[in-house]
Amino acid sequence: MNSFFQKYYTALIKGGIIAIFLAVMLVIPHYKGIWDSSITIPLLILFWLGVAYIVLPDFFKKYRVAILSVYGLVIAYNFFIFNIAPNQAENHRLYLTNFMFIPIPVFTALWVYEQWRWLRILKTDKTRAELALLKSQVNPHFFFNTLNNLYGLVVEKSPQAPEVVLGLSDMMRYTIYEGKKEWVGLTDEINFLETYIELHKIRYRKKVAIQFDHEVDGSIQVAPLLFINLLENAFKHGVEPSIGNAYIYLRLKTQDGRILFHMENNCESDISPEKGGVGLHNLKKRLELIYPNKHELRIEKTKTTYAVHLNLNTH
């Protein structure tokens, strides 16, 4: 509350000062011969510089050297005319007026540019904050399911539990160190998905047909942790509730700078393209932020199958 009153008080003082300045400037023209004085134009310049400093203090301080240099030259030229050639002062008054007003559009354009750049930076910071939030939601969601898998193996005292711990450790290392990067190699994402698949193969006792074909350009980079949500949904809504004949087919390839990802799995649950859980929702948001107008996500569902097509333009 004190901060509010302080800001209100400061704004009131600034408004009062400007009002006094304006009143003075309205009175000055009524005095005869005022324009014949050598100090009139310097006073006008100082007045408007004072107003600019009060209204736009940050902008004024940032460009004070340029502003003061330009109007310092105008004031110097004014005194030169009045002192060296006082009889020609009236003829040069138009030049002085032009010198006063010509820089104004330039500084106005500069101020507009500053505001535009500030909005761009603000938008970029907002996008980064949203992406960071989405990543923080993706990782716990993914590890929660994987830890459940490990818990089941530990309870059963499965000899495969240490292998799961090692695989989970590798994936945690990837999400912590690589996941925070803006871009990672596409081959690194493939290795991450393969590790995830191997962990699930250890978990399931029933027969699950999993095929992952990939043929990619190793130099292409992609946003990290982009495909894991789709694969996770395939296990969660396809393999887990399936009684038999569970399968997941993945194909990932690159073509002319584009990443083409296709995945199909059996589907015996009530999941629909509109209800993909937290993971699918986050994926859509990330695609909108990272690949605006450069991605296509298409989901096709039948009574027994669920297919996802994701195309990314990396150019």
Side-chain angles (χ1 to χ4, degrees):
M1 188 62 68
N2 292 335
S3 176
F4 171 78
F5 281 116
Q6 185 177 3
K7 291 181 180 179
Y8 178 79
Y9 181 71
T10 302
L12 189 62
I13 292 177
K14 289 183 178 181
I17 294 174
I18 294 175
I20 293 172
F21 282 168
L22 288 175
V24 172
M25 296 308 298
L26 290 173
V27 172
I28 285 178
H30 294 284
Y31 287 90
K32 294 182 179 180
I34 192 70
W35 296 111
D36 296 329
S37 174
S38 61
I39 66 171
T40 300
I41 289 179
L43 286 176
L44 283 171
I45 292 175
L46 293 176
F47 161 71
W48 288 114
L49 290 180
V51 171
Y53 178 77
I54 293 174
V55 177
L56 304 171
D58 294 334
F59 178 81
F60 190 91
K61 290 177 182 177
K62 184 175 182 179
Y63 295 99
R64 62 183 180 275
V65 175
I67 295 172
L68 295 178
S69 297
V70 169
Y71 286 103
L73 291 175
V74 174
I75 292 175
Y77 179 72
N78 170 78
F79 283 117
F80 173 80
I81 294 300
F82 273 92
N83 293 327
I84 303 301
N87 296 330
Q88 300 181 10
E90 185 175 353
N91 297 332
H92 287 272
R93 189 175 298 150
L94 180 60
Y95 294 109
L96 288 170
T97 304
N98 290 335
F99 291 153
M100 284 176 56
F101 289 106
I102 287 176
I104 293 178
V106 176
F107 288 120
T108 301
L110 186 59
W111 178 81
V112 171
Y113 169 75
E114 287 285 330
Q115 301 309 302
W116 173 81
R117 191 176 67 171
W118 176 76
L119 289 174
R120 287 288 301 272
I121 294 174
L122 187 65
K123 184 178 180 180
T124 301
D125 291 343
K126 180 176 180 291
T127 300
R128 289 176 179 172
E130 289 180 356
L131 285 173
L133 178 61
L134 290 172
K135 284 184 180 181
S136 69
Q137 293 173 343
V138 168
N139 297 348
H141 180 63
F142 159 66
F143 283 115
F144 175 77
N145 292 335
T146 308
L147 286 172
N148 276 345
N149 300 346
L150 178 59
Y151 175 77
L153 294 174
V154 172
V155 169
E156 297 173 0
K157 297 182 179 179
S158 171
Q160 294 176 313
E163 186 177 347
V164 174
V165 172
L166 183 61
L168 183 59
S169 174
D170 291 338
M171 286 191 295
M172 288 183 67
R173 186 180 300 109
Y174 181 83
T175 56
I176 292 172
Y177 295 105
E178 303 298 320
K180 67 180 181 180
K181 295 181 179 179
E182 188 173 0
W183 306 102
V184 296
L186 186 56
T187 53
D188 293 332
E189 277 290 293
I190 291 174
N191 294 334
F192 179 72
L193 295 177
E194 288 179 334
T195 302
Y196 183 83
I197 291 172
E198 291 302 317
L199 288 180
H200 277 283
K201 283 183 178 179
I202 294 174
R203 175 195 176 198
Y204 294 117
R205 293 179 180 177
K206 58 187 176 183
K207 186 177 180 180
V208 181
I210 302 177
Q211 182 178 347
F212 186 10
D213 298 327
H214 47 82
E215 184 178 353
V216 300
D217 181 353
S219 64
I220 290 181
Q221 293 192 318
V222 67
L225 307 174
L226 203 60
F227 308 105
I228 187 62
N229 289 328
L230 298 173
L231 181 57
E232 186 179 13
N233 282 341
F235 278 105
K236 182 178 179 181
H237 301 287
V239 175
E240 290 184 9
S242 175
I243 299 176
N245 299 322
Y247 75 93
I248 298 178
Y249 171 59
L250 302 96
R251 184 175 69 249
L252 182 61
K253 70 174 185 176
T254 55
Q255 181 178 351
D256 299 327
R258 297 180 64 87
I259 299 175
L260 308 176
F261 177 81
H262 169 76
M263 186 180 68
E264 181 180 323
N265 58 274
N266 63 294
C267 184
E268 299 184 11
S269 64
D270 60 352
I271 185 174
S272 67
E274 292 77 22
K275 298 180 180 179
V278 175
L280 186 57
H281 172 74
N282 283 359
L283 173 62
K284 291 179 178 179
K285 286 291 295 181
R286 290 186 68 199
L287 288 173
E288 291 174 3
L289 293 171
I290 304 173
Y291 296 97
N293 303 319
K294 290 186 177 182
H295 74 276
E296 179 186 1
L297 177 62
R298 191 172 74 256
I299 300 175
E300 300 172 352
K301 183 183 181 300
T302 67
K303 292 182 179 180
T304 58
T305 63
Y306 188 86
V308 178
H309 306 270
L310 176 60
N311 297 334
L312 302 174
N313 185 356
T314 61
H315 290 303

